[in-house]
């Protein structure tokens, strides 16, 4: 088929601030190049007061879609026409499709995690302990609930936030959500299938360790971390040493990108190419 617009690219990108250290652009553009797509991903620094103009600009210029990162994940809702199911439950959007001028909000944070998890196990019927109750934890909890998890226990320093996330799970998904306050060394209950660190502990610090009683981890359990840099966190090293199956945050980030591009173009980029690009950036062997 001949290209009817050989000198025009399909535009996508990201709106956030600060934006200069977000490596998503490098990962996605490597995927586009590898797939031979005539698409671009533009990393834009958008201040809170300019978000509406940026969204209208993307629609006016015929962008295919865009990501929203901090601080726009909630503020963008008022500019959208529709919300996907999980984004409506989570109450935050990080990926927008523009279809026939309509703006549809999605949340790919939890979906990226889920895709990564499914490479080792199906969450259906599983008992899960989730540390953290911020934006990443909320998205992960809702997606795991919608994917058929049996029970999700949310453990957080601020117990009120844990209750909010557990409440969303119980109210909107088939899973049972439980909330636990986190003080001192948290024990992982017997019978837990999957343990997830969705706090920011470990970001940029390979020695930082969430206060978890490591003796309560069991061989064969899945232990996942959302931290993408460094990917092999202290928690994952300890879990691996105890015979657990470990999942790093790099997989979640790559799969978020893949899910976003599938929403925009209906095409699946090569995870290996994107992973290698990030490893090069994070200097991981
Ligand atoms: P938030 O700020 O919304 O939430 C941070 C969470 O970490 C809260 O639950 C907070 O607890 C907890 N926390 C922070 N410090 C401590 C501590 N010292 N002890 C116990 N709990 C602590 O951040 P996000 O949810 O947006 O992001 C969390 C992490 O996930 C970040 O590091 C981010 O980089 C990463 N992430 C990774 C992605 C990926 O693709 N791999 C995607 C999205 C995020 P409290 O509520 O009590 O303050």
């Amino acid at each position: 088929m001949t290209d009817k617009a050989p000198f025009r690219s399909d535009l996508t990108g990201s709106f956030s601030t600060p934006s200069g250290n977000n490596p998503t652009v490098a990962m996605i553009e490597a995927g586009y190049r590898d797939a031979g797509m005539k698409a671009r991903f533009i990393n834009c620094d958008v201040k809170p007061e300019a978000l509406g103009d940026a969204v209208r600009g993307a629609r006016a210029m015929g962008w295919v879609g865009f990501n929203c990162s901090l601080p726009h994940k909630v503020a963008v809702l008022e500019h959208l026409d529709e919300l996907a199911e999980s984004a409506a439950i989570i109450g935050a959007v990080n990926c927008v499709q523009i279809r026939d001028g309509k703006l549809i909000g999605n949340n790919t944070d939890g979906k990226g995690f889920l895709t990564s998890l499914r490479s080792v196990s199906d969450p259906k019927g599983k008992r899960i302990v989730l540390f953290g109750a911020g934006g990443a934890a909320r998205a992960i909890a809702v997606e795991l609930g919608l994917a058929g998890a049996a029970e999700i226990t949310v453990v957080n320093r601020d117990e009120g936030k844990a209750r909010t996330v557990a409440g969303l799970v119980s109210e909107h998904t088939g899973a049972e959500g439980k909330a636990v306050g986190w003080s001192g060394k948290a024990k992982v209950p017997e019978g837990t299938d999957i343990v997830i660190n969705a706090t920011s502990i470990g970001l940029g610090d390979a020695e930082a360790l969430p206060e978890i009683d490591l003796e309560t981890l069991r061989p064969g359990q899945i232990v996942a971390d959302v931290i993408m840099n460094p990917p092999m966190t202290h928690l994952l090293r300890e879990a691996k040493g105890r015979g657990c199956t470990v999942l790093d945050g790099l997989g979640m980030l790559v799969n978020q990108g893949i899910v976003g591009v599938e929403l925009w173009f209906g095409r699946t980029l090569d995870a290996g190419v994107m992973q290698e690009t990030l490893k090069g950036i994070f200097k991981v062997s």
Side-chain angles (χ1 to χ4, degrees):
M1 202 172 71
T2 51
D3 188 345
K4 289 192 182 134
F7 301 110
R8 194 179 67 224
S9 301
D10 296 321
L11 294 180
T12 61
S14 173
F15 299 161
S16 69
T17 189
S19 59
N21 287 322
N22 187 340
T24 301
V25 53
M27 172 184 89
I28 302 252
E29 290 225 314
Y32 284 161
R33 274 195 303 277
D34 171 73
M37 291 169 68
K38 211 168 48 96
R40 297 299 311 273
F41 185 100
I42 319 290
N43 190 22
C44 305
D45 201 277
V46 176
K47 300 282 182 264
E49 61 278 13
L51 181 62
D53 286 343
V55 172
R56 284 185 288 279
R59 176 162 32 200
M61 289 185 279
W63 282 37
V64 180
F66 56 88
N67 284 349
C68 270
S69 197
L70 296 178
H72 305 312
K73 290 185 181 185
V74 175
V76 75
L77 292 179
E78 67 174 278
H79 303 289
L80 305 179
D81 300 301
E82 281 174 32
L83 287 180
E85 184 189 19
S86 64
I89 300 171
I90 297 162
V93 160
N94 71 338
C95 179
V96 175
Q97 298 160 272
I98 308 181
R99 286 241 177 98
D100 304 322
K102 263 198 166 174
L103 297 151
I104 306 156
N106 299 269
N107 193 306
T108 60
D109 275 333
K111 289 190 201 306
F113 178 83
L114 200 57
T115 309
S116 187
L117 176 64
R118 283 195 168 126
S119 68
V120 295
S121 174
D122 188 338
K124 205 167 185 195
K126 299 289 191 318
R127 295 177 67 191
I128 298 166
V129 174
L130 176 66
F131 289 94
R138 193 179 172 104
I140 289 169
V142 168
E143 293 294 350
L144 289 172
L146 292 175
E151 182 185 289
I152 303 172
T153 302
V154 185
V155 184
N156 199 50
R157 249 182 347 191
D158 177 341
E159 196 177 339
K161 278 164 71 181
R163 275 198 296 271
T164 302
V165 175
L168 285 179
V169 167
S170 294
E171 193 178 333
H172 297 282
T173 80
E176 183 185 0
K178 293 182 176 174
V180 176
W182 189 1
S183 62
K185 278 208 168 159
K187 290 188 189 312
V188 174
E190 280 295 335
T192 300
D193 301 297
I194 303 170
V195 179
I196 305 163
N197 173 40
T199 72
S200 43
I201 302 167
L203 186 65
D205 181 353
E207 296 312 317
L209 185 64
E211 273 208 81
I212 298 173
D213 182 350
L214 299 169
E215 300 307 321
T216 60
L217 294 177
R218 295 282 169 262
Q221 236 164 18
I222 293 168
V223 177
D225 208 319
V226 298
I227 299 300
M228 70 288 259
N229 189 24
M232 192 43 75
T233 59
H234 194 165
L235 174 65
L236 294 189
R237 297 197 303 275
E238 293 284 351
K240 200 171 179 186
R242 287 169 166 76
C244 303
T245 299
V246 301
L247 270 182
D248 67 33
L250 218 50
M252 175 178 171
L253 188 59
V254 166
N255 281 300
Q256 266 193 65
I258 289 179
V259 172
V261 172
E262 283 172 348
L263 289 167
W264 295 331
F265 294 105
R267 292 187 62 171
T268 303
L269 300 182
D270 188 301
V273 166
M274 294 161 75
Q275 180 121 358
E276 285 310 309
T277 304
L278 286 179
K279 282 184 170 175
I281 292 167
F282 296 150
K283 298 190 172 42
V284 178
S285 52

